[in-house]
Amino acid sequence: MTAHSETPASRQKPRARATRGFRAPLAFLLASSLLLAGARAEPVSATASLSSNVTVVGAPVVLTITVNGARGADAPRSISVDDLDIRYAGESTQIKMRNFQMTALVTHSYRVVPRGTGEFTIPAQNIIVGNDRLRTNPVTLTVRPRSGGSARATSPGQPDAADEPATLDDLARADLIVPKDSAYVGEAVPIELRFYFDGSTDFQARSGPELPSEGFTLEPFPQPRQEETTEKGRRFSLVTFQSVITPVKAGDLELGPAAMDVTAAIRRARPNLQHLADSFFNDPFFNRSFSGFTTNEELTIRSGVQKLTVKPLPTAGQPENFGGSVGQFDITADADAKKVSIGDPVTMKVTISGRGNFDRMDAPEIEPGAGWRSYPPSGTFVKDDTLGVSGAKTFAYQLVPTDRTDKLPAVSFSYFDPAKEKYVTVGTKELPIVVTGTPLAAASPAPPAGATPAPTASPAEPDPTDILGLATDLGATGQSFTPLYRRPEFLYGQALPGLALLGLLALGGYRRWSSDTTARRDAALRTRRARVLSTLQKRGLPRAEFYAEAVRALQLETARRTGAAPETLHEPDVRGSADLDPETDTALGRIFAAHNEAAYSGETSDVATETIERDEAIRAVKRFIDSHA
């Protein structure tokens, strides 16, 4: 086995390479330690300064608090001065080298936006550095009124006008657009809110737009419309909100100002780092946070105020059926049937179309006249625009005929036209219809108490002692010699008893079958009627369901006596099926009227029937059943 030996040179080569690999960072760390030790030895101080001591209303300046000789310092996050909006913008740390002496600087920046004119003093601020408390010097800012042009505040070492908008108006603005300066009470007026945002700045809405509107009703803002626009060579994002205002009182009213809270990402310029002598400390690792950055500012965008003269609606010439509709409208009507029976409902739809305050439009009143019973309608609105100012509103009336007639009632509608400044009445024509069936007969009046009915006359019996008249026809007197058993009448007479017996047997069987079928049907109707009566006894039953069950009980009892199908029986059939006393007959009329109102009316309600009204209805149903017993 041969042993190999290494020379000292060969053994030292790897170590030399390793030493050269660590030499540069060791030197850097040693230099940094020495320099920072020198920085710590420098006295610590805090000073405050403004980027400009003179500005105009709305033009921001930068307040800087610089702490020398410290790598960390705590400064206040909020500073309060009347008529100055001071917002904290951020913190930065710098390393400054001068004559091979390292100094650490901590800078706290604030954005100051003046809201009023005058001379303002920003007081001295407390700065915490470790266990030490420092105090800055106060600074003074002079604010002048804005001129007609766009004012900008600049100073040496600060960004020029192209780097940062100087006023709030340069970032965003709001316009309130009202198309007219006068209107009538109740008139729907479309409006627009237009918000312009600087295209080079990122904005985020913190809340929706707000519009003070005392004396008006304001519809909620729908989804806004967004688009790009250019003004004087600058690009803006335009956000448009639309709505409708309706004056509720007369006088000179003010609308606005509109306002919206937003957060703006405002660009900041890179600080002047020329004082850093060593290019090593200009490396992006140390400087990357200062090469251009943004700060989030909370802003409120406000519009101007718009004035509107509101006139009251005239009282002269106001129709009796005027319900408050203001605009321009037309009216049409149609029915879903041309032929019905008494007691069957007819749906008549009345459509009012045009432009105006549909949200305040009430259903036109119908005067049904003789032969009809009407109920409150239901209404549906279909808009033709996003604001609901233009469209058509349809009212569905349920009409129930109580007598034969050949026409549906006409409908009239009155509104105020603000363009013509007068009232207008429009109406529909009477629609043709055929109504069949038996009219509901009026209840016979009860005889007065104590009255004795007059006896009915009967024909007088002839006197047996009277002489009778002479007989003028003696009938046939012929005789026949044919034997009796051969005569046809004798043979027919023998067959008749057998036929009669067969007929009696068949009739008995039919009667038994018919009686069984009638009994089964009667039992089934009685069972259904008993279930309905049991349902009527439940407390808290909704009104519509209660009266539907009451009418069903009346139909079942009438069907049991008449043999008709219960579903085909209407009010005249029920009330005419028995000889009712006036009290019961009137109560049944109220039951059918309440049932129709709950079934056909557009007014929905789940309120339970009052106890007294319900108990009276139940007693009337039972009296009707007892009248058939």
Side-chain angles (χ1 to χ4, degrees):
M1 181 174 180
T2 305
H4 297 279
S5 62
E6 295 181 335
T7 63
S10 63
R11 288 195 302 267
Q12 294 298 324
K13 285 181 181 180
R15 185 176 303 171
R17 287 194 298 269
T19 302
R20 284 196 301 270
F22 286 102
R23 184 176 300 166
L26 288 174
F28 167 73
L29 294 176
L30 179 61
S32 300
S33 300
L34 292 175
L35 292 175
L36 290 177
R40 286 193 297 270
E42 186 173 336
V44 180
S45 63
T47 58
S49 62
L50 291 171
S51 60
S52 175
N53 292 324
V54 180
T55 185
V56 297
V57 175
V61 296
V62 178
L63 170 65
T64 303
I65 296 178
T66 304
V67 181
N68 289 283
R71 288 178 293 172
D74 293 333
R77 291 301 188 264
S78 62
I79 301 176
S80 177
V81 178
D82 292 342
D83 285 339
L84 293 183
D85 184 8
I86 304 177
R87 305 288 180 90
Y88 186 74
E91 175 187 359
S92 62
T93 303
Q94 302 176 17
I95 303 296
K96 183 173 67 174
M97 183 174 68
R98 187 176 183 180
N99 296 329
F100 297 100
Q101 295 292 328
M102 295 287 296
T103 302
L105 294 92
V106 178
T107 302
H108 294 272
S109 300
Y110 302 81
R111 186 171 187 264
V112 182
V113 180
R115 300 301 186 192
T117 60
E119 188 170 283
F120 302 91
T121 298
I122 300 176
Q125 303 296 315
N126 293 322
I127 307 298
I128 306 299
V129 180
N131 296 326
D132 299 330
R133 181 185 297 269
L134 306 178
R135 192 166 179 82
T136 68
N137 56 290
V139 293
T140 302
L141 176 64
T142 301
V143 182
R144 299 171 180 171
R146 293 187 57 185
S147 61
S150 177
R152 297 181 184 276
T154 59
S155 64
Q158 294 299 317
D160 58 37
D163 290 328
E164 179 181 346
T167 66
L168 183 61
D169 289 344
D170 289 330
L171 291 176
R173 80 171 195 270
D175 293 337
L176 173 59
I177 309 299
V178 181
K180 56 196 312 182
D181 55 8
S182 66
Y184 280 92
V185 172
E187 180 180 355
V189 180
I191 63 169
E192 283 190 356
L193 292 179
R194 298 175 183 175
F195 291 91
Y196 294 83
F197 299 99
D198 181 72
S200 61
T201 306
D202 292 332
F203 288 88
Q204 182 176 1
R206 291 187 287 117
S207 63
E210 296 182 357
L211 179 61
S213 53
E214 184 179 357
F216 301 89
T217 60
L218 175 68
E219 294 298 316
F221 291 104
Q223 191 70 17
R225 183 179 69 252
Q226 302 185 37
E227 56 186 319
E228 299 293 327
T229 185
T230 302
E231 291 187 0
K232 298 180 180 180
R234 291 183 59 188
R235 182 173 58 86
F236 288 91
S237 294
L238 173 58
V239 181
T240 303
F241 292 87
Q242 294 180 322
S243 184
V244 176
I245 58 171
T246 303
V248 296
K249 66 178 182 179
D252 295 328
L253 305 182
E254 289 188 352
L255 185 67
M260 184 166 65
D261 295 331
V262 299
T263 299
I266 300 178
R267 293 178 296 128
R268 299 296 183 191
R270 172 177 175 169
N272 188 352
L273 300 179
Q274 294 180 355
H275 59 276
L276 297 180
D278 196 339
S279 62
F280 175 83
F281 294 102
N282 269 325
D283 187 273
F285 175 81
F286 293 96
N287 242 353
R288 62 180 181 268
S289 61
F290 309 110
S291 59
F293 62 96
T294 61
T295 60
N296 292 329
E297 302 285 345
E298 295 182 354
L299 307 176
T300 299
I301 315 300
R302 290 184 175 87
S303 73
V305 176
Q306 294 292 336
K307 295 184 178 181
L308 193 66
T309 300
V310 181
K311 297 176 285 188
L313 294 175
T315 56
Q318 187 177 103
E320 293 183 359
N321 64 342
F322 175 69
S325 297
V326 180
Q328 296 85 33
F329 305 99
D330 197 6
I331 187 171
T332 58
D334 193 12
D336 66 345
K338 302 299 181 183
K339 183 178 180 180
V340 294
S341 299
I342 292 177
D344 291 337
V346 180
T347 301
M348 184 173 72
K349 293 184 178 180
V350 178
T351 301
I352 300 175
S353 58
R355 183 178 179 85
N357 57 348
F358 283 96
D359 59 325
R360 295 171 174 263
M361 181 181 294
D362 294 330
E365 293 185 1
I366 290 183
E367 296 295 339
W372 290 100
R373 183 184 297 158
S374 64
Y375 301 94
S378 59
T380 57
F381 176 63
V382 178
K383 59 185 179 181
D384 293 338
D385 56 13
T386 57
L387 300 178
V389 177
S390 177
K393 196 167 187 177
T394 300
F395 299 96
Y397 295 83
Q398 296 293 336
L399 304 177
V400 178
T402 60
D403 201 352
R404 294 192 187 97
T405 182
D406 58 355
K407 56 189 176 183
L408 285 163
V411 182
S412 63
F413 173 72
S414 297
Y415 63 91
F416 181 78
D417 189 336
K420 299 178 180 179
E421 297 187 336
K422 67 176 184 179
Y423 293 96
V424 179
T425 299
V426 293
T428 65
K429 297 180 179 180
E430 295 177 333
L431 300 176
I433 193 171
V434 177
V435 179
T436 60
T438 303
L440 180 61
S444 301
T452 302
T456 56
S458 58
E461 293 291 336
D463 190 350
T465 61
D466 287 347
I467 300 175
L468 300 178
L470 298 176
T472 59
D473 186 5
L474 299 179
T477 58
Q479 297 291 329
S480 173
F481 295 97
T482 304
L484 181 61
Y485 63 90
R486 291 185 178 182
R487 295 178 185 178
E489 57 268 20
F490 175 79
L491 297 177
Y492 294 150
Q494 298 301 317
L496 285 176
L499 295 174
L501 180 59
L502 292 176
L504 290 174
L505 294 175
L507 179 60
Y510 171 77
R511 286 180 176 177
R512 286 193 299 273
W513 174 84
S514 177
S515 177
D516 293 342
T517 303
T518 303
R520 286 195 298 269
R521 181 179 182 275
D522 184 80
L525 291 174
R526 286 177 182 270
T527 301
R528 293 175 59 188
R529 187 192 66 191
R531 286 199 297 264
V532 171
L533 289 176
S534 176
T535 303
L536 287 177
Q537 303 294 332
K538 295 180 180 178
R539 298 297 180 183
L541 200 64
R543 182 181 181 85
E545 185 177 348
F546 175 83
Y547 280 108
E549 293 296 316
V551 169
R552 188 172 294 110
L554 298 175
Q555 290 174 327
L556 290 172
E557 179 60 27
T558 305
R560 193 178 69 84
R561 289 297 178 178
T562 62
E567 295 77 10
T568 63
L569 298 174
H570 300 291
E571 181 180 356
D573 304 314
V574 174
R575 296 175 65 180
S577 65
D579 186 12
L580 303 175
D581 60 273
E583 181 183 357
T584 303
D585 187 67
T586 302
L588 294 188
R590 288 198 298 266
I591 291 175
F592 277 96
H595 165 65
N596 292 336
E597 182 178 358
Y600 306 139
S601 173
E603 299 177 353
T604 59
S605 175
D606 290 330
V607 179
T609 308
E610 294 294 335
T611 304
I612 297 177
E613 178 186 351
R614 178 175 56 191
D615 291 343
E616 289 180 353
I618 294 175
R619 285 196 295 268
V621 171
K622 291 182 177 179
R623 286 199 304 269
F624 177 77
I625 294 174
D626 293 340
S627 68
H628 284 170

